[in-house]
Amino acid sequence: MPAVGVPKEVTWNNIDKYKFFVTGAGMFSGVTCALYPLSVIKTRQMVDGSGRLGGIAIVRDIVKQRGILGLYQGFGTIVVGTLPIRMVYLSTLEVVKVRARGMCERLELPPMAYGIADAAGGATASMCSQVLGVPIDIISQRQMVQGVSIKGADGGATTLQGYRNGWHAARTIVASEGIRGLY
């Protein structure tokens, strides 16, 4: 007799995939929206290099130059780019776990060994999503710092290139640095 109040095991085959992806995408986008300005601040601090600007000074600088929306420079690229990547990750994770568990069962491994299946799913899903995700991060980071003046090693100032949108940034990076520029 099953225990009362204990939910049944959640597997890829018995979940509502529409709810899974739509709810997951909504929650991910909400968290990204709340935390994105911190990524912009961190990226600007790394580009500054001198360590002279604290977070508050960077926020003031961004808001002064670009308004409050400057804290979301590159946000569209992240949201549009990562939603399909999330679906690839979650789908790959669940499909590989199911298949790897099936293999564990065929090999008559004890249920304790099913962690191997979970690890295989996580490793495969991470690899697939990172191949797609790193270019999105590079493009977004370039958008975060566009128009920022930085000092070169020779002491001269350089203004980082600006982009109209994520597609323009991707085309420009590939044209000037090749596909490796996205990695």
Side-chain angles (χ1 to χ4, degrees):
M1 181 173 147
V4 177
V6 176
K8 68 179 182 177
E9 182 179 355
V10 177
T11 66
W12 184 246
N13 295 330
N14 67 7
I15 64 170
D16 180 340
K17 289 165 187 68
Y18 177 79
K19 285 182 182 177
F20 180 73
F21 287 122
V22 171
T23 302
M27 290 173 59
F28 174 74
S29 296
V31 169
T32 302
C33 186
L35 298 177
Y36 193 79
L38 297 175
S39 293
V40 173
I41 294 164
K42 172 195 64 111
T43 303
R44 291 284 296 266
Q45 283 179 317
M46 290 189 309
V47 168
D48 177 49
S50 70
R52 62 181 171 75
L53 291 179
I56 302 294
I58 288 176
V59 169
R60 277 193 216 118
D61 186 47
I62 291 170
V63 171
K64 181 180 174 183
Q65 290 178 4
R66 297 191 177 121
I68 198 76
L69 291 178
L71 294 171
Y72 288 89
Q73 198 82 29
F75 180 74
T77 300
I78 286 290
V79 170
V80 170
T82 56
L83 289 178
I85 292 167
R86 269 281 169 233
M87 287 196 278
V88 167
Y89 178 85
L90 295 171
S91 299
T92 304
L93 173 69
E94 295 301 329
V95 168
V96 172
K97 278 173 43 178
V98 166
R99 294 201 178 176
R101 279 182 183 228
M103 179 146 329
C104 288
E105 290 168 2
R106 284 191 298 283
L107 294 172
E108 298 178 3
L109 296 175
M112 193 69 146
Y114 288 5
I116 296 167
D118 296 342
T124 305
S126 290
M127 181 184 67
C128 292
S129 64
Q130 288 305 310
V131 166
L132 302 171
V134 169
I136 299 300
D137 286 340
I138 297 294
I139 292 165
S140 174
Q141 289 170 357
R142 299 273 184 105
Q143 288 179 293
M144 288 177 193
V145 297
Q146 66 185 351
V148 173
S149 291
I150 58 171
K151 288 186 181 178
D154 62 357
T158 302
T159 300
L160 299 176
Q161 180 172 354
Y163 306 102
R164 290 188 299 273
N165 53 45
W167 288 112
H168 179 245
R171 285 192 312 271
T172 304
I173 293 166
V174 170
S176 64
E177 302 172 39
I179 197 77
R180 292 183 69 177
L182 295 174
Y183 290 92

